[in-house]
Every structure is written in structure tokens, then in C-alpha cells.
Amino acid sequence: MKYRISILIFFILSSFANYGLASDKEAEHKASVIIPDVALLSLKVEGNSNVEFQSAAPTTAGEKIDLQSKQESNIWLNYSSIVTSNQKRKITATVVGDIPNGISIKLKVGENIGAGIGELGLSNGSIVLSNSPVDIISGIGSCYTGVGVQNGHPLSYNLEIDENSFYSNSEKGETSVSVIYTLTDDN
């Protein structure tokens, strides 16, 4: 019986000793959250992505060519951005190719529409495109526009025609240019 009581007392004291040791010990490990730098840009299209301005030949001598000057493109500009503190991004547009003499291509960038969240960029409105980058959206912080059509910034195109230059330098034919959009740091 004494043997059992001694064993019982030993186990009770051992439990208190382990309890005391366990309460004095700490264990730790690090947990890291890594947020990457993100700068993604895409164009989403409803239907055909080509923007075509066509002219109609006059039917009566002395009339001018009727050149369609407005094109709703159904192209949507989507982007995702994660930046550091106080950093901003912008989107530029550049024309690659030769625009015919007397014609200016204007790009109208609408305000953001849809499911976007964060510090979305602000449209610079209607911009005349050229072979040099032109800012079309500015002030982009950490954000996303949402994916696909009806999200992001809607794009539409207009032509402006300087008739004197156009008729002095025009030739029959077709001219194609590409518009390149770039998401870049603004500061």
C-alpha cells in the first residue's frame, strides 16, 4: 500500500513539475505575408476588336467624301495594380504606323465602370493619339477594375479632319495603325 501511495505521490509531483516547466517556456515561429508588385493590363472586347472608319464616295459631283468620324468600339480597358506607399501608375496610348495627313484620331476614355475596387485611375477624357505616348488614365494606386466587358474604362474613337490638309495630301488606299496601351509607373 505504501508502495502505491509513493507511486501516486510521485506521479502527482511529476505532473506539477511538468506543468511548472511548461508554463515557463515559449515557442514561436514567423508568419509572413508577401504582397507582390502587380501591374497587369488587358483589353476586353464585345464582338470585333477592329475599329474601322469608312468613307462613302459622293453621289453628286462637287460633294465631299463622307468620312465616318465616330466609332463606338465596345473595347474595355481592364487593369490590376499593387503599388508601394505614395506610388502611382498611369496608362499611356501610342499609335504605331502612319496616320493619313489631315486626319487626327481621338481616343475617348470613359470613367471606370463595374466591379472595381481600390484607388482606380481617372480618365484624362478625349486625347489626340500620336506616335508618342499620351497619358490617358492617371492616378492609379492599388486596385482592380473587374474582369471583362462592362468593367474598367470604355474606349471609343473619333476622327477629326482638317479638310485643307486632307484634300491636299490624300491618296486612294487603306491605312492601318495599331494603338498600344501601356501601364507604367507615374513617379
Side-chain angles (χ1 to χ4, degrees):
M1 180 80 161
K2 282 184 177 182
Y3 181 68
R4 284 187 176 177
I5 293 176
S6 298
I7 292 175
L8 183 60
I9 292 172
F10 174 77
F11 282 121
I12 291 172
L13 291 175
S14 300
S15 296
F16 285 123
N18 287 339
Y19 177 75
L21 291 175
S23 65
D24 291 337
K25 300 293 180 186
E26 291 183 354
E28 69 177 60
H29 67 84
K30 290 185 179 185
S32 297
V33 177
I34 300 170
I35 301 172
D37 181 40
V38 175
L40 298 171
L41 175 70
S42 69
L43 296 173
K44 299 300 179 184
V45 180
E46 289 179 289
N48 186 358
S49 66
N50 294 331
V51 177
E52 295 179 353
F53 295 97
Q54 295 186 5
S55 60
T59 56
T60 304
E63 290 182 334
K64 66 180 181 177
I65 292 174
D66 181 18
L67 187 60
Q68 176 190 11
S69 63
K70 186 173 182 181
Q71 177 73 39
E72 296 297 327
S73 65
N74 297 316
I75 298 174
W76 293 81
L77 191 59
N78 295 167
Y79 52 88
S80 297
S81 174
I82 299 291
V83 295
T84 59
S85 179
N86 298 320
Q87 181 186 10
K88 298 289 185 224
R89 290 199 165 112
K90 65 182 178 180
I91 298 175
T92 62
T94 309
V95 171
V96 176
D98 294 325
I99 300 170
N101 290 323
I103 294 179
S104 296
I105 301 174
K106 283 185 86 172
L107 171 66
K108 181 181 178 189
V109 180
E111 292 300 329
N112 183 68
I113 298 171
I117 292 178
E119 194 173 356
L120 295 157
L122 300 172
S123 166
N124 292 343
S126 292
I127 306 294
V128 175
L129 297 175
S130 72
N131 297 112
S132 298
V134 180
D135 294 353
I136 62 168
I137 298 174
S138 57
I140 300 169
S142 292
C143 64
Y144 64 91
T145 59
V147 176
V149 298
Q150 304 299 321
N151 286 297
H153 297 266
L155 306 177
S156 59
Y157 295 86
N158 294 309
L159 291 184
E160 287 187 351
I161 301 167
D162 174 349
E163 288 188 358
N164 288 328
S165 179
F166 177 76
Y167 281 101
S168 298
N169 298 298
S170 289
E171 296 179 0
K172 175 186 170 188
E174 180 179 324
T175 301
S176 293
V177 297
S178 295
V179 182
I180 307 295
Y181 297 92
T182 306
L183 176 61
T184 184
D185 290 343
D186 195 18
N187 45 345

